[in-house]
Amino acid sequence: DIQMTQSPSTLSASVGDRVTITCRASQSIISWLAWYQQKPGKAPKLLIYKASSLESGVPSRFSGSGSGTEFTLTISSLQPDDFATYYCQQYNSYWTFGQGTKVEIK
Amino acid sequence: QVQLQESGPGLVKPSETLSLTCTVSGGSISTYYWNWIRQPPGKGLEWIGYVYYSGSTTYNPSLKSRVTVSVDTSKNQFSLKLTSVTAADTAVFYCARGRTSGYPSDAFDIWGQGTLVTVSS
């Protein structure tokens, strides 16, 4: 099994802040990584696929980078709508998700 | 645009079989891979399995002995059966589409709203 570990688990930030979330894989997943945003009571929403490709309709303040075992999701300027939980997901071998990072208001 | 909607009982008794259906609207079920994912209350996401429109399937090894996913192309639906459920199977169940037509290993671009299934006597 490929394990995905996100850090931090919780992040307190203010509107306008630059925010970075890290995701580490237990073995190389090349670039087969996605990022999702989930709000309470809602389904996850795809933000980034193949580590750095922005899904259609997603604001350009979201970006992804990394390869192999270490990946990051960056929000360049946090907006009120961005307070949510973020999950990484590998799809190199089956599919597994990180435990989530909750971005909360500071 | 393509939309997904889960349906099925919200309460299942321990040791019984959980059955859910996902209806695909606004597009054809053909050529894509269709997935089930679950999320226990307050916890993270777990992939359960997928079905291709042809009927081929792949399951999470940790659930494989209890899971069956099937497709009905005439109804534009796919379904999940999970046998011998316990309280640990209580979760919100989501259906979702693989992003790239004809390609199994991909992110999930379209999700249903989710349905809570509680396992309790």
Side-chain angles (χ1 to χ4, degrees):
Chain A
D1 288 18
I2 298 178
Q3 309 300 320
M4 306 301 293
T5 304
Q6 288 182 232
S7 59
S9 296
T10 306
L11 187 160
S12 297
S14 301
V15 172
D17 284 354
R18 182 181 181 87
V19 166
T20 299
I21 299 169
T22 297
C23 180
R24 289 186 174 85
S26 59
Q27 65 189 74
S28 176
I29 57 171
I30 312 174
S31 293
W32 303 120
L33 184 104
W35 289 97
Y36 298 85
Q37 176 193 68
Q38 187 178 34
K39 296 182 178 180
K42 301 294 187 182
K45 173 188 174 183
L46 178 63
L47 301 175
I48 301 286
Y49 63 95
K50 211 159 66 176
S52 60
S53 296
L54 193 68
E55 176 69 350
S56 176
V58 174
S60 59
R61 63 180 179 273
F62 291 93
S63 64
S65 64
S67 65
T69 62
E70 187 151 340
F71 302 85
T72 59
L73 173 71
T74 299
I75 309 172
S76 60
S77 178
L78 197 66
Q79 298 302 301
D81 191 49
D82 301 338
F83 291 98
T85 299
Y86 293 84
Y87 291 94
C88 62
Q89 175 207 43
Q90 69 81 20
Y91 50 99
N92 181 69
S93 175
Y94 298 105
W95 289 260
T96 48
F97 294 85
Q99 82 278 17
T101 295
K102 183 178 182 180
V103 177
E104 60 182 25
I105 301 173
K106 189 173 184 178
Chain B
Q1 72 280 23
V2 175
Q3 293 184 309
L4 307 182
Q5 178 68 58
E6 304 90 350
S7 59
L11 181 64
V12 180
K13 289 182 168 54
S15 80
E16 295 190 344
T17 296
L18 178 159
S19 296
L20 295 174
T21 295
C22 182
T23 300
V24 180
S25 60
S28 173
I29 203 167
S30 297
T31 77
Y32 282 92
Y33 286 79
W34 303 94
N35 297 266
W36 287 99
I37 302 101
R38 68 179 180 178
Q39 184 172 37
K43 297 189 177 180
L45 298 153
E46 179 180 36
W47 173 74
I48 299 169
Y50 75 59
V51 63
Y52 191 42
Y53 80 103
S54 64
S56 65
T57 56
T58 295
Y59 302 130
N60 186 325
S62 69
L63 297 169
K64 187 176 182 178
S65 64
R66 299 196 292 132
V67 172
T68 302
V69 181
S70 59
V71 64
D72 186 338
T73 54
S74 67
K75 295 182 179 179
N76 240 30
Q77 294 176 334
F78 62 105
S79 298
L80 168 70
K81 290 190 187 298
L82 181 66
T83 63
S84 304
V85 297
T86 69
D89 294 309
T90 293
V92 175
F93 286 77
Y94 296 101
C95 55
R97 189 183 79 168
R99 188 179 176 279
T100 304
S101 172
Y103 191 68
S105 296
D106 212 336
F108 306 147
D109 65 337
I110 300 174
W111 295 62
Q113 65 185 26
T115 187
L116 174 63
V117 179
T118 301
V119 179
S120 176
S121 55

